[in-house]
């Protein structure tokens, strides 16, 4: 009875008439409507027809959801039911990718060629999210390769991964009116492809191509024109920043080296794309600018990046965003934090002497010792050599500050360097060079 019900439901979902319900309805001109309304043999009003279509559309979506719910009820039966969905439903709602994985003839042109209907994507992504968060065996099913004599490409060898990537691509491209679905799609991408440490053993080098692809999709979410969905866009931006970028920074040390490089590049691309002058989403810049720049710069500190090419790219891409005040604010905060660490390693003085200096000061200018240490940076427990390399590269971010034409921006950048130099020069006055831990001064050495 269950099989019969499912088969009937599948047929209804896939019927050509049902497919038409999800396609955009062409706009009618006033003249067309008038002529139709004047016909004496009209059997129903446009309103009644629209209501009937919406009812049928809702029923089809409900059937689709019922089939998906049933498929995940028993793990041991999941493979059978999902394979049935792949053979009967997915070639209709995702025809192009099904051609790639051999489920549909290249000559076939039926189905939703321009993309799966939004209503069906919402149902499917919600169900995928439930499956992946509740059952690791279902995750294993998607990651399992299919070995056949005709498997000549990565798409055919891993059809479930290829299908999943297309589902995620379309879901992250949904309009901003579907923020929860977009979040779930990003979460799935993060769980399965970005932080899965064992997946490269299965996919090899192709994993990093998939990761790059997904980072690009995530960037497009930020670049999407906000329109009337300002709050939704802001929350999505925060979600990407906190759950993806900051989350991956937390586990940076265990990521594969290529994934680390992809992450740093993705943060550069997403942050600078957000802050560039041509971005029309001014509200999003104001809301996310500061946290995005901090996450980017902190990510580079956490990475202990040794590649000068990567640091040079950071500087090159960040310089066009200097017109944004948030950039200098965050740059100053983190550069001063690194300067305090440099001071500790290069100019060590006793705590007693530091307290005496603070007590006897006569000027009103705040001392560098009054700058509170950032717990997140202190937690990194950076070695002295790492501190010097990071600090020099942070200073280098202001390498071309004298080329900035806007006087106020140039002044802000130069003031950061003045604060850094003041801190180090004050430190030189307070320490006996015979007791320093290094033989050279980093800024001049």
């Amino acid at each position: 009875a269950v099989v019969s019900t499912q088969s009937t439901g599948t047929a209804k979902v896939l019927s050509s008439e049902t497919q038409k319900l999800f396609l955009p309805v062409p706009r009618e001109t006033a003249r067309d409507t008038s002529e139709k309304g004047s016909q004496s043999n009209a059997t129903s009003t446009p309103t009644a027809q629209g209501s009937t279509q919406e009812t049928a559309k809702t029923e089809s979506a409900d059937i689709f959801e019922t089939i998906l719910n049933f498929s995940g009820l028993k793990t041991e039966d999941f493979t059978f039911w999902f394979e049935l969905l792949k053979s009967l439903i997915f070639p209709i709602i995702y025809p192009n990718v099904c051609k790639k994985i051999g489920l549909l003839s290249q000559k076939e042109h039926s189905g939703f060629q321009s993309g799966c209907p939004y209503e069906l994507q919402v149902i499917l992504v919600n169900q995928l999210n439930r499956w992946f968060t509740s059952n690791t065996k279902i995750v294993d099913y998607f990651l399992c390769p299919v070995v056949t004599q005709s498997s000549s490409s990565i798409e055919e060898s891993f059809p479930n991964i290829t299908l999943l990537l297309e589902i995620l691509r379309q879901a992250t491209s949904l309009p901003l009116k579907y923020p929860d679905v977009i979040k779930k799609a990003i979460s799935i991408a993060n769980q399965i492809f970005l932080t899965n440490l064992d997946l490269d053993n299965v996919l090899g080098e192709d994993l990093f191509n998939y990761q790059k692809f997904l980072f690009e999709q995530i960037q497009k979410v930020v670049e999407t024109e906000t329109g009337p969905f300002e709050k939704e866009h802001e929350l999505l931006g925060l979600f990407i920043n906190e759950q993806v970028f900051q989350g991956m920074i937390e586990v940076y040390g265990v990521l594969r080296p290529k994934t680390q490089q992809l992450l740093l590049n993705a943060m550069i691309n997403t942050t600078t794309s957000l802050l560039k002058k041509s971005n029309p989403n001014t509200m999003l810049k104001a809301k996310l600018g500061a946290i995005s720049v901090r996450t980017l710069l902190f990510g580079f500190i956490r990475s202990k990046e040794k590649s000068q090419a990567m640091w040079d790219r950071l500087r090159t891409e960040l310089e066009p965003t200097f017109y944004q005040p948030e950039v200098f604010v965050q740059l100053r905060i983190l550069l001063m934090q690194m300067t305090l660490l440099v001071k500790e390693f290069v100019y060590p003085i006793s705590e007693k002497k530091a307290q005496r200096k603070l007590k006897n000061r006569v000027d009103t200018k705040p001392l560098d010792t009054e700058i509170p240490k950032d717990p997140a940076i202190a937690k990194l427990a950076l070695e002295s050599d790492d501190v010097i390399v990071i600090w020099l590269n942070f200073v280098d971010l202001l390498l071309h500050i004298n080329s900035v034409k806007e006087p106020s921006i140039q002044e802000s950048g130069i003031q950061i360097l003045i604060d850094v130099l003041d801190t180090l020069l004050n430190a030189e006055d307070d320490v006996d060079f015979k007791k320093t831990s290094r033989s050279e001064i980093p800024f001049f050495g």
Side-chain angles (χ1 to χ4, degrees):
V2 171
V3 174
S4 175
T5 301
Q6 298 300 317
S7 301
T8 303
T10 301
K12 185 170 183 178
V13 169
L14 295 177
S15 69
S16 58
E17 291 302 316
T18 302
Q19 290 178 43
K20 293 178 183 179
L21 298 175
F22 291 94
L23 298 176
V25 180
R27 292 183 178 180
E28 297 178 336
T29 63
R31 180 180 177 182
D32 293 335
T33 305
S34 176
E35 289 178 352
K36 288 181 180 180
S38 63
Q39 294 176 359
S40 58
N41 61 347
T43 57
S44 60
T45 65
T47 302
Q49 291 175 353
S51 176
T52 302
Q53 288 182 348
E54 282 301 315
T55 300
K57 189 174 180 180
T58 301
E59 288 177 352
S60 297
D62 289 343
I63 293 171
F64 181 58
E65 185 170 18
T66 299
I67 295 171
L68 291 178
N69 285 334
F70 180 83
S71 300
L73 283 179
K74 294 182 179 180
T75 305
E76 58 270 23
D77 297 332
F78 177 81
T79 299
F80 169 79
W81 287 110
F82 200 83
E83 289 296 323
L84 186 65
L85 294 175
K86 282 169 56 180
S87 63
L88 296 178
I89 294 184
F90 285 118
I92 298 298
I93 60 179
Y94 294 103
N96 295 322
V97 72
C98 285
K99 292 178 183 179
K100 290 183 179 180
I101 60 179
L103 293 179
L104 194 62
S105 168
Q106 295 292 334
K107 298 179 180 180
E108 183 64 56
H109 298 290
S110 62
F112 299 104
Q113 297 289 324
S114 60
C116 180
Y118 298 158
E119 298 89 344
L120 300 185
Q121 286 193 58
V122 170
I123 295 169
L124 179 56
V125 172
N126 282 332
Q127 187 62 62
L128 286 172
N129 185 65
R130 283 193 291 269
W131 287 342
F132 290 148
T133 55
S134 63
N135 198 319
T136 56
K137 291 185 178 180
I138 292 180
V139 176
D140 293 339
Y141 162 79
F142 277 87
L143 301 182
C144 183
V146 175
V147 181
T148 64
Q149 293 181 348
S150 62
S151 297
S152 59
S153 65
I154 187 68
E155 288 85 1
E156 292 181 342
S157 298
F158 294 91
N160 295 331
I161 287 181
T162 305
L163 177 60
L164 180 58
L165 284 169
E166 176 61 16
I167 293 171
L168 297 179
R169 182 192 71 80
Q170 292 196 30
T172 53
S173 302
L174 283 169
L176 294 176
K177 66 184 287 187
Y178 300 101
D180 291 337
V181 179
I182 297 173
K183 284 182 184 179
K184 289 174 182 176
I186 294 173
S187 294
I188 294 170
N190 191 36
Q191 174 192 354
I192 304 299
F193 295 100
L194 300 182
T195 57
N196 188 336
L197 301 180
D198 299 322
L199 199 53
D200 63 334
N201 297 327
V202 178
L203 294 176
E205 292 296 309
D206 287 295
L207 169 63
F208 307 113
N209 294 328
Y210 295 155
Q211 289 178 336
K212 181 181 178 182
F213 167 76
L214 290 168
F215 277 131
E216 290 171 350
Q217 292 303 122
I218 290 172
Q219 178 182 338
K220 289 178 182 178
V221 173
V222 177
E223 293 175 337
T224 300
E225 188 171 346
T226 299
F229 302 101
E230 292 186 353
K231 191 62 179 178
E232 290 84 351
H233 209 177
E234 178 190 351
L235 293 176
L236 276 171
L238 288 172
F239 179 83
I240 290 170
N241 197 282
E242 295 171 0
Q243 300 300 316
V244 180
F245 292 152
Q246 292 183 22
M248 294 186 74
I249 289 171
E250 283 293 317
V251 296
Y252 189 88
V254 299
L255 298 177
R256 300 292 187 264
K258 286 190 177 181
T259 301
Q260 292 175 343
Q261 297 297 298
L262 288 170
L263 171 61
L264 293 180
N265 278 306
M267 291 194 298
I268 291 175
N269 295 338
T270 304
T271 302
T272 56
S273 176
L274 169 69
L275 295 176
K276 64 184 179 183
K277 286 186 177 181
S278 59
N279 185 355
N281 298 326
T282 54
M283 181 282 303
L284 204 63
K285 292 182 189 179
K287 296 288 187 180
L288 301 180
I291 188 173
S292 296
V293 174
R294 176 180 169 80
T295 299
L296 171 62
L297 296 179
F298 181 82
F300 267 78
I301 294 174
R302 171 67 180 83
S303 73
K304 306 174 188 177
E305 181 60 44
K306 296 296 191 296
S307 168
Q308 192 56 50
M310 182 64 78
W311 282 103
D312 289 343
R313 181 169 190 268
L314 174 64
R315 185 192 67 242
T316 301
E317 298 296 329
L318 204 58
E319 284 177 343
T321 70
F322 279 176
Y323 77 97
Q324 288 280 356
E326 295 87 352
V327 177
F328 281 126
V329 171
Q330 297 303 318
L331 179 54
R332 182 189 185 281
I333 290 172
L334 292 176
L335 179 50
M336 290 305 297
Q337 289 293 320
M338 297 309 301
T339 302
L340 292 181
L341 291 179
V342 168
K343 178 187 170 186
E344 289 181 5
F345 284 119
V346 180
Y347 308 108
I349 61 174
S350 67
E351 182 67 22
K352 185 175 180 180
K353 188 172 183 179
Q355 292 299 324
R356 185 167 63 250
K357 178 188 174 186
L358 182 62
K359 182 178 180 180
N360 296 335
R361 56 179 283 216
V362 294
D363 61 316
T364 57
K365 184 179 179 180
L367 296 173
D368 57 85
T369 50
E370 295 177 351
I371 300 173
K373 293 182 179 179
D374 188 328
I377 293 180
K379 184 180 177 181
L380 297 177
L382 298 169
E383 299 290 339
S384 60
D385 288 341
D386 292 326
V387 168
I388 298 302
V389 170
I390 295 169
W391 179 82
L392 286 171
N393 279 292
F394 260 68
V395 172
D396 195 52
L397 294 176
L398 295 168
L399 178 65
H400 299 131
I401 192 62
N402 282 332
S403 301
V404 176
K405 296 181 180 180
E406 176 60 42
S408 61
I409 296 176
Q410 187 183 91
E411 180 184 8
S412 298
I414 292 175
Q415 186 60 53
I416 295 174
L417 294 176
I418 291 173
D419 293 340
V420 168
L421 281 171
D422 280 345
T423 299
L424 296 181
L425 291 173
N426 287 337
E428 288 189 22
D429 292 338
D430 296 330
V431 71
D432 183 348
F433 276 101
K434 291 184 294 184
K435 297 180 180 179
T436 59
S437 59
R438 294 177 61 95
S439 60
E440 73 276 356
I441 304 172
F443 195 76
F444 303 105

